[in-house]
């Protein structure tokens, strides 16, 4: 098979495998076509005020000052007298958009939104705003438009400030919240003289939404423990008190206004969010006003063992925790609008101050609303499954559904409200479990199809390696293969049967791809079965114990790499093991200095996975040190190689300029962060230097000499300059240390070739990338090439995870991009952070290409071995990760002493008792050291 054809087919298989992850684990949980349901009784409130303090942690609101006073006196007085409070448990990803969707729509963000725009809805969904008569919103242009666009009609009115105001370098980010409060006050003042607006405001089922972004912005810019962050909380408290007073005065203190104060997510101590750390998932919830239970004192211990009640001095007041999605049915019940049809929240009854009948009717409405989703999900799956293959959810069959609803209705009519509530909670629990059951109905079937295809592809690649790049004994009389026609007919029949089966079931088009792809792949494998017989015939002449040892080591190595996805410290173990390679292989006796350099380089690099991830402990001075280290190592190399590989006259100015640019870039982050701390904004000169460096780093290495080490040095200097600008601490030292180890690896591989008795070895100093490759010197694969390929894969994983965790959103510090921009722009910021992650990857790639040239091996053969190792890792990882939560939970928790009740997207069991809702975690929560 030609290389291009092979590459296209391989790319197709891997693209299908990648897309299948989304079909198997990340399909939309939403269903449509349900009828909205609302409680038939008069609601306690005519209007609802929702205040969301973006990025506010629960402990930041509830913790008292050292002198015993509160930084939020108004909300504290509400907690102690007029309202009910608790902790709202968010779910991964702890970002603003999914947090607000959970609060207002009652479901956790549709995961297909990962690839969608920030401000637009990836799917249509219902919300409290959509069900209201009128909704007025004030706040961020990143949040409000998505609810206005998703609403039916034109009854959602948004008032936003310009996006440019969301500046992390702002002298005072709390002005964003002040803007919201000022606009709300002006709005009600203008309504006094606008009869039309006033009449609309006095109607029932109205919602007022205040989105306060200042706390989040100050947290990113200054950290949650900063005075700016804490002062912003005090400003919000004062603003809420003033707004409440204005609203009560406008409506003549009619007692028909309900208030809900909460947050969409918290924030880590290092100023980021997105993962599942308790500081991100625990947010405050305070409700008061019409229909809300007033503060209730308790004398007995409460069912919370996290120690917060004592820390916050609130053990004498009843605490009512909820899941974030529970707030949507709470708001709908208070104001009398239908619960959003996609909501999976459970009404927290302990927040309600109403009759038992109202609570029972509200819980019944909640149960019917969730049951409607279950019915629609079941019907959809039943329509696309053959009747004799369909397995219904046994705990909630159609007969049991009718039994639940009829019995609940009868209990309400008999005024047995507590029994009715308990029964409805049980129905909700079963409906939610049934939703998960039908949502994952085809998961095993699809997983088997994809794995079968991928195993076939990996087997085919192995056979190609053995056939074209290994020295096997060919036995023509023994290589008779399965007759091509019979095999083709068999595969065609299987494909027709599968197609008809999927056609009858009206399966999506992607199902055809996953189920039919294994057929041509395994057809190719069976056609190459003669190669396997050649291997068997050659086996007696091979060093079997050495082969077995290699494969056992690679198997353990692959296991170590997969485990490192969950525990970064395993990379340290791997690097420590790799450091012993020259000593165990006998290279130390022939190249002592290089072996010792390899040992030191591996051990130095092994320290990085043990350090806190990027952004935990920023230290700009280390960025400057990293720049000096890069300059020192570059100067040492140029000085030591001046005789072996003297610089061309045209290269000297380029290297001088590149080294000067590294020196400048080592200083720019320090100057930028100093300017931001003094609230002087981002200096324009620094911004110009940063963007110019980024743009030039792509093409400047192409202008350098094509001599091996001169080209590598130019690439290193260009990438280091950009990396320094994107660094905030110890991670800036990573590229210089990695590059040092890669330099040693290139040299020690030459010694390994010499030890193997390779003739015609080319000196590294004479290698030129522009020279034509002598095909006659290209050799066949040897066992040691498996080791080289594994080293490459290991260093690629180390390059990705060495200083952080690409799978965890909160591993990245927004301060990393402050040299480039400070105004919030998720796409540009995300792109810069991804480039920062890719830079070490490029360094390793260039090194491996150099080793391939130096060891006189075809790039195709090494590529195939790397492909096999990577595919085996992917398969192993696929089997280890069994649910959606585990995908999101990789690296989202950390080895910190936690007393908190942790809630992540990995799943939960809801345990309902009479009048109480508790959330119990039931997941494997990975720990990232």
């Amino acid at each position: 098979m030609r290389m291009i054809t092979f590459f296209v087919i391989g790319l197709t298989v891997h693209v299908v495998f990648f897309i299948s992850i989304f079909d198997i684990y990340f399909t939309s949980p939403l269903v449509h076509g349900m009828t909205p349901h609302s409680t038939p009784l008069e609601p306690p409130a005519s209007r609802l005020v929702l205040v969301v303090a973006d990025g506010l942690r629960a402990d930041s609101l509830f913790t008292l000052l050292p002198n015993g006073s509160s930084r939020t006196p108004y909300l504290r007085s509400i907690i102690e007298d007029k309202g009910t409070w608790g902790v709202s448990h968010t779910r991964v990803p702890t970002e603003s958009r999914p947090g607000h969707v959970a609060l207002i729509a009652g479901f956790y963000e549709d995961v297909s939104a990962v690839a969608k725009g920030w401000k637009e809805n990836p799917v249509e969904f219902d919300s409290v705003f959509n069900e209201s008569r009128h909704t007025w919103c004030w706040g961020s242009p990143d949040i409000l438009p998505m609810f206005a666009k998703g609403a039916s009609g034109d009854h959602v009115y948004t008032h936003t400030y310009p996006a440019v105001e969301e500046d992390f370098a702002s002298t005072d980010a709390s002005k964003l919240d002040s803007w919201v409060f000022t606009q709300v006050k002006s709005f009600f003042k203008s309504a006094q003289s606008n009869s039309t607006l006033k009449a609309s405001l006095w109607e029932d089922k109205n919602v007022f939404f205040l989105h306060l972004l200042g706390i989040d912005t100050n947290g990113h810019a200054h950290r949650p423990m900063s005075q700016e962050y804490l002062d912003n909380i005090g400003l919000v408290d004062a603003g809420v008190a003033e707004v409440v007073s204005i609203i009560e005065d406008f409506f003549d203190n009619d007692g028909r206004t309900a208030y809900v104060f909460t947050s969409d997510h918290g924030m880590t101590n290092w100023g980021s969010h997105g993962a599942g750390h308790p500081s991100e998932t625990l947010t405050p919830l305070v409700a008061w006003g019409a229909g809300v239970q007033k503060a209730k004192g308790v004398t007995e211990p409460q069912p919370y063992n996290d120690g917060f009640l004592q820390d916050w001095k609130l053990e004498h007041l009843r605490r009512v925790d909820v899941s974030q999605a529970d707030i949507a049915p709470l708001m709908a019940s208070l104001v009398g609008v239908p619960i959003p049809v996609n909501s999976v929240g459970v009404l927290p009854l302990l927040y309600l101050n109403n009759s038992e009948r109202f609570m029972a009717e509200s819980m019944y409405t909640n149960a019917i609303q969730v049951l409607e989703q279950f019915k629609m999900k079941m019907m959809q799956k039943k329509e696309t499954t053959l009747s004799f293959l369909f397995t219904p959810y046994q705990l909630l069959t159609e007969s049991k559904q009718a039994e639940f609803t009829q019995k609940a209705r009868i209990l309400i009519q008999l005024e047995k409200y507590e029994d009715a509530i308990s029964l409805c909670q049980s129905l909700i629990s079963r409906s939610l479990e049934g939703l998960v059951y039908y949502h994952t109905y085809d998961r095993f079937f699809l997983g088997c199809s994809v794995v079968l295809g991928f195993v076939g592809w990996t087997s085919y690649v192995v056979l190609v390696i053995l056939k074209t790049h290994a020295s096997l004994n060919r036995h023509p009389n023994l290589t008779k293969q399965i007759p091509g026609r019979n095999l083709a007919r068999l595969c065609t029949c299987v494909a027709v049967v599968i197609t008809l089966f999927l056609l009858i079931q009206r399966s999506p088009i992607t199902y055809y791809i996953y189920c039919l792809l294994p057929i041509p792949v395994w057809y190719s494998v069976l056609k190459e079965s003669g190669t396997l017989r050649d291997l068997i015939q050659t086996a007696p002449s091979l060093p079997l114990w050495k082969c077995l040892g290699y494969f056992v080591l690679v198997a353990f190595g692959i296991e170590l790499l997969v485990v490192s996805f969950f525990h970064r410290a395993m990379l340290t173990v791997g690097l420590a093991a790799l450091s012993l390679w020259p000593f165990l292989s006998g290279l130390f006796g022939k190249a002592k200095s290089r072996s010792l350099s390899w040992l030191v380089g591996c051990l130095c690099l092994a320290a990085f996975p043990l350090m806190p991830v990027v952004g935990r402990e920023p230290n700009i001075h280390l960025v400057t040190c990293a720049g000096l280290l890069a300059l020192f190592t570059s100067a040492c190399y140029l000085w030591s190689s001046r005789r072996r590989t003297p610089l061309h006259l045209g290269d000297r100015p380029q290297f001088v300029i590149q080294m000067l640019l590294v020196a400048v870039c080592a200083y720019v982050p320090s100057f930028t962060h100093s300017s931001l701390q003094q609230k002087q904004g981002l200096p324009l000169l620094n911004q110009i230097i940063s963007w110019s460096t980024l743009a030039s780093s792509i093409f400047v290495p192409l202008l350098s000499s094509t001599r091996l080490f001169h080209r590598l040095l130019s690439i290193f200097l260009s990438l280091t300059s950009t990396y320094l600008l994107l660094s905030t601490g110890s991670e800036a030292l990573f590229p210089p240390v990695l590059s040092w180890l890669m330099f040693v690896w290139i040299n020690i591989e030459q010694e390994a070739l010499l030890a193997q008795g390779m003739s015609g070895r080319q000196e590294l100093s004479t290698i030129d990338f522009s020279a034509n490759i002598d095909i006659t010197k290209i050799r066949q694969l040897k066992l040691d090439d498996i080791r080289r390929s594994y080293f490459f894969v290991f260093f690629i994983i180390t390059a990705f995870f060495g200083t952080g965790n690409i799978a965890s959103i909160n591993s990245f510090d927004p301060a990393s991009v402050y040299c480039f921009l400070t105004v919030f722009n998720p796409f540009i910021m995300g792109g810069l952070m991804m480039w920062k992650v890719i830079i070490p990857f490029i360094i390793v790639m260039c090194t491996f290409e150099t080793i391939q040239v130096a060891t006189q091996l075809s790039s195709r053969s090494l590529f195939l071995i790397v492909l096999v190792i990577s595919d085996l890792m992917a398969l192993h990882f696929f089997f280890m990760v069994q649910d959606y939560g585990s995908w999101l939970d990789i690296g989202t928790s950390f080895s910190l002493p936690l007393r908190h009740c942790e809630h992540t997207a990995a799943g939960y069991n809801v345990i309902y008792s009479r009048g109480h809702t508790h959330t119990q975690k039931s997941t494997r929560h990975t720990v990232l050291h």
Side-chain angles (χ1 to χ4, degrees):
M1 184 185 293
R2 295 177 61 186
M3 188 62 182
I4 295 178
T5 306
F6 180 85
F7 176 79
V8 171
I9 295 175
L11 181 64
T12 303
V13 171
H14 285 81
V15 168
V16 170
F17 185 74
F18 178 76
I19 294 176
S20 71
I21 293 171
F22 291 87
D23 260 348
I24 296 173
Y25 296 100
F26 294 91
T27 49
S28 171
L30 298 185
V31 289
H32 300 284
M34 294 81 67
T35 303
H37 293 272
S38 58
T39 305
L41 303 178
E42 177 72 17
S46 298
R47 64 202 71 90
L48 172 80
V49 179
L50 171 63
V51 182
V52 177
D54 203 306
L56 177 60
R57 294 162 45 145
D59 59 341
S60 298
L61 178 72
F62 295 133
T63 302
L64 296 176
L65 296 172
N67 60 10
S69 62
S70 174
R71 66 172 55 91
T72 56
Y74 178 76
L75 290 173
R76 187 77 179 193
S77 67
I78 294 294
I79 292 171
E80 295 179 345
D81 182 34
K82 299 180 181 179
T84 300
W85 74 283
V87 174
S88 170
H89 297 272
T90 69
R91 288 175 61 174
V92 175
T94 47
E95 294 290 339
S96 293
R97 176 190 172 117
H100 282 87
V101 170
L103 286 170
I104 301 168
F107 73 93
Y108 299 102
E109 176 73 295
D110 175 10
V111 290
S112 66
V114 171
K116 302 291 183 177
W118 182 264
K119 299 179 182 178
E120 294 187 1
N121 296 327
V123 295
E124 293 181 1
F125 60 82
D126 195 16
S127 70
V128 174
F129 294 174
N130 185 53
E131 298 291 352
S132 68
R133 190 180 304 277
H134 301 286
T135 296
W136 288 271
C137 312
W138 297 268
S140 169
D142 297 316
I143 298 298
L144 305 190
M146 72 175 179
F147 291 102
K149 184 175 181 179
S152 58
D154 57 353
H155 64 281
V156 178
Y157 314 100
T158 61
H159 306 271
T160 64
Y161 38 75
V164 72
E165 295 293 332
E166 299 177 10
D167 189 350
F168 295 125
S170 172
T171 56
D172 184 13
S174 64
K175 66 182 181 182
L176 300 177
D177 299 340
S178 298
W179 183 93
V180 171
F181 293 131
T182 301
Q183 291 294 315
V184 173
K185 289 184 284 186
S186 300
F187 173 78
F188 281 99
K189 184 177 180 180
S190 64
Q192 294 286 6
S193 56
N194 187 329
S195 58
T196 303
L197 177 58
K198 188 172 184 179
S200 298
L201 291 174
W202 273 94
E203 291 179 326
D204 62 353
K205 300 181 181 180
N206 284 341
V207 177
F208 304 96
F209 173 42
L210 282 66
H211 176 242
L212 309 174
L213 188 62
I215 293 175
D216 182 75
T217 306
N218 269 319
H220 285 308
H222 306 289
R223 307 292 185 266
M225 300 306 171
S226 66
Q227 196 60 44
E228 289 85 353
Y229 182 89
L230 300 176
D231 289 344
N232 202 153
I233 297 174
L235 181 145
V236 166
D237 180 74
V240 170
E242 191 173 1
V243 166
V244 169
S245 176
I246 290 172
I247 292 176
E248 291 298 327
D249 289 343
F250 182 87
F251 292 108
D252 299 331
N253 295 295
D254 62 354
R256 297 280 296 174
T257 308
Y259 300 90
V260 175
F261 179 91
T262 187
S263 176
D264 54 345
H265 56 75
M267 187 171 290
T268 60
N269 289 343
W270 51 96
S272 61
H273 53 81
H277 191 275
S279 62
E280 300 166 90
T281 61
L282 304 183
T283 59
L285 173 61
V286 183
W288 70 98
V292 179
Q293 187 69 257
K294 293 187 177 181
K296 185 175 182 180
V298 293
T299 55
E300 298 180 357
Q302 301 190 55
Y304 302 101
N305 300 317
D306 49 29
F308 286 143
L309 287 168
Q310 292 74 27
D311 294 345
W312 298 337
K313 303 296 188 292
L314 290 170
E315 62 270 23
H316 61 290
L317 296 172
R318 184 174 63 181
R319 167 182 164 184
V320 184
D321 283 14
V322 301
S323 293
Q324 193 173 46
D326 298 343
I327 297 175
L330 171 63
M331 294 190 296
S333 177
L334 289 172
V335 81
V337 300
I339 298 174
V341 294
N342 301 118
S343 171
V344 295
V346 182
L347 179 63
L349 293 177
L350 293 182
Y351 276 85
L352 296 181
N353 179 22
N354 215 312
S355 65
E356 289 187 342
R357 182 190 173 194
F358 181 86
M359 293 185 182
E361 289 284 3
S362 297
M363 186 57 70
Y364 179 80
T365 301
N366 193 179
I368 295 299
Q369 170 262 324
V370 177
L371 182 62
E372 285 279 331
Q373 295 182 74
F374 171 81
K375 288 180 177 179
M376 189 60 65
K377 197 79 171 179
M378 182 181 70
M379 183 183 70
Q380 290 178 356
K381 188 53 59 183
K382 196 172 184 179
E383 289 178 349
T384 58
T385 306
L386 295 176
S387 57
F388 65 91
L389 293 177
F390 180 72
T391 305
Y393 181 60
Q394 296 300 323
L395 294 180
L396 204 57
T397 59
E398 293 183 2
S399 60
K400 290 182 179 179
Q401 295 173 31
E403 180 184 344
F404 266 108
T405 54
Q406 291 173 7
K407 187 175 181 181
R409 194 72 259 172
I410 292 172
L411 288 173
I412 292 176
Q413 292 173 355
L414 295 175
E415 299 185 357
K416 296 182 178 180
Y417 300 123
E418 289 189 357
D419 293 336
I421 289 172
S422 179
L423 186 65
C424 289
Q425 290 172 336
S426 178
L427 177 57
I428 292 174
S429 176
R430 293 193 182 187
S431 298
L432 292 175
E433 292 171 358
L435 280 172
V436 174
Y437 172 80
Y438 286 118
H439 184 61
T440 59
Y441 192 85
D442 292 332
R443 181 170 291 181
F444 179 76
F445 166 69
L446 292 177
C448 289
S449 299
V450 171
V451 168
L452 185 64
F454 209 65
V455 169
W457 166 255
T458 305
S459 304
Y460 177 70
V461 174
V462 171
L463 291 175
V464 169
I465 293 173
L466 294 173
K467 180 179 180 180
T468 60
H469 299 284
S471 302
L472 298 180
N473 296 328
R474 310 294 176 183
H475 298 274
N477 58 326
L478 295 175
T479 56
K480 186 178 180 180
Q481 300 177 3
I482 299 176
R485 286 186 178 180
N486 294 336
L487 182 60
R489 288 171 182 170
L490 175 64
C491 292
T492 302
C493 292
V494 173
V496 170
V497 171
I498 292 175
T499 302
L500 291 175
F501 175 76
L502 296 175
L503 194 62
I504 294 172
Q505 293 206 129
R506 290 181 289 177
S507 300
I509 188 66
T510 52
Y511 283 37
Y512 290 84
I513 298 174
Y514 304 145
C515 296
L516 294 177
L517 182 63
I519 296 174
V521 170
W522 280 103
Y523 171 76
S524 302
V525 172
L526 294 175
K527 283 192 67 177
E528 298 293 341
S529 58
T531 303
L532 189 60
R533 286 193 284 269
D534 287 343
L535 177 64
I536 296 173
Q537 293 296 320
T538 309
S541 62
L542 296 175
L544 294 181
W545 285 110
K546 187 176 181 180
C547 293
L548 180 62
Y550 261 98
F551 287 119
V552 169
L553 288 175
V554 169
F556 276 108
I558 290 174
E559 177 71 21
L560 183 145
L561 286 177
V562 173
V563 173
S564 71
F565 284 20
F566 301 86
H567 307 276
R568 285 175 61 230
M570 293 305 297
L571 293 175
T572 298
V573 176
L575 285 165
L578 259 59
S579 69
L580 301 177
W581 163 58
F583 304 91
L584 299 177
S585 62
L587 287 175
F588 177 71
K590 301 175 182 179
K592 291 184 179 180
S593 61
R594 292 177 179 179
S595 297
L596 290 175
S597 296
W598 171 266
L599 172 67
V600 175
C602 285
L603 294 181
C604 288
L605 197 65
F608 285 93
L610 298 177
M611 296 180 182
V613 293
V614 175
R616 290 291 189 85
E617 298 176 1
N619 188 338
I620 300 300
H621 297 298
L622 288 178
V623 179
T624 306
C625 294
L628 296 176
L629 177 62
L631 290 173
F632 177 74
T633 53
S634 301
C636 287
Y637 166 73
L638 292 174
W639 178 262
S640 62
S641 63
R642 68 188 187 280
R643 292 183 179 177
R644 290 177 300 159
T645 53
L647 286 175
H648 296 152
L649 292 177
D651 289 333
R652 293 177 183 176
Q654 179 178 340
F655 280 119
V656 170
I657 293 174
Q658 285 189 283
M659 294 176 71
L660 287 175
L661 186 58
V662 169
V664 171
C665 292
Y667 173 72
V668 167
S670 177
F671 182 53
T672 299
H673 286 263
S674 175
S675 177
L676 295 180
Q677 287 178 354
Q678 297 172 16
K679 299 185 178 180
Q680 296 176 356
L682 172 59
L684 179 60
L685 178 61
N686 292 15
Q687 196 171 18
I688 293 173
I689 292 173
S690 299
W691 285 108
S692 301
T693 302
L694 175 63
S696 64
S697 65
I698 300 173
F699 64 85
V700 165
L702 302 177
L703 305 176
S704 65
S705 168
T706 53
R707 289 284 187 90
L708 187 148
F709 284 119
H710 291 171
R711 175 57 64 89
L712 289 179
L713 180 60
S714 181
I715 293 172
F716 165 67
L717 290 173
S718 292
L719 296 179
T720 299
S721 299
T722 305
Y723 200 91
L724 291 173
L725 295 170
L726 291 168
S727 299
T728 61
S730 59
E731 80 274 15
L733 297 167
F734 187 73
V737 175
L738 178 65
S739 300
W740 172 29
L741 182 58
M742 294 297 99
F743 174 80
V744 176
W745 185 25
I746 294 171
N747 282 274
I748 205 169
E749 284 292 355
Q750 286 290 94
E751 299 299 333
L753 282 177
L754 187 63
Q756 293 171 8
M758 291 284 296
S759 59
R761 182 173 66 99
Q762 188 176 6
E763 289 294 331
L764 291 174
S765 58
T766 63
I767 295 178
D768 194 315
F769 284 119
S770 64
N772 293 325
I773 298 175
D774 187 354
I775 300 178
T776 61
K777 294 183 178 180
I778 299 298
R779 61 181 178 83
Q780 292 281 55
L781 283 172
K782 295 183 178 296
L783 280 175
D784 212 35
D785 294 319
I786 299 176
R787 189 262 310 157
R788 291 187 180 94
S789 300
Y790 177 78
F791 277 16
F792 168 68
V793 175
F794 184 91
F795 287 130
I796 283 291
I797 300 299
T798 304
F800 269 116
F801 293 90
T803 60
N805 185 1
I806 194 175
S808 176
I809 298 174
N810 81 345
S811 292
F812 300 106
D813 185 1
S816 298
V817 301
Y818 284 174
C819 291
F820 293 86
L821 76 166
T822 56
V823 176
F824 178 68
N825 188 312
F827 299 109
I828 295 179
M829 288 180 169
L832 289 170
M833 290 178 175
M834 284 303 300
W835 180 243
K836 178 182 179 181
V837 170
I838 291 172
I839 285 175
F841 173 84
I842 296 174
I843 293 174
V844 177
M845 287 287 293
C846 293
T847 301
F848 193 61
E849 173 65 17
T850 302
I851 290 174
Q852 175 261 317
V853 173
T855 55
Q856 301 173 350
L857 190 64
S858 71
S859 57
R860 179 183 178 184
S861 55
L862 275 180
F863 165 74
L864 291 175
I865 299 177
V866 169
L867 187 62
V868 170
I869 295 174
S870 302
D871 287 350
L872 291 174
M873 283 179 54
L875 280 172
H876 186 22
F877 184 72
F878 188 87
F879 285 118
M880 286 186 67
V881 182
Q882 293 299 317
D883 55 31
Y884 160 62
S886 295
W887 282 96
L888 287 180
D889 211 27
I890 299 170
T892 59
S893 62
F894 307 89
S895 56
L896 299 176
L898 306 179
R899 297 178 301 166
H900 311 288
C901 177
E902 298 179 41
H903 296 257
T904 72
Y908 60 91
N909 289 333
V910 182
I911 303 174
Y912 299 99
S913 60
R914 191 171 300 174
H916 294 77
T917 303
H918 306 290
T919 306
Q920 176 179 320
K921 182 171 181 258
S922 63
T923 178
R924 303 181 307 277
H925 199 61
T926 61
V927 179
L928 175 63
H929 295 277

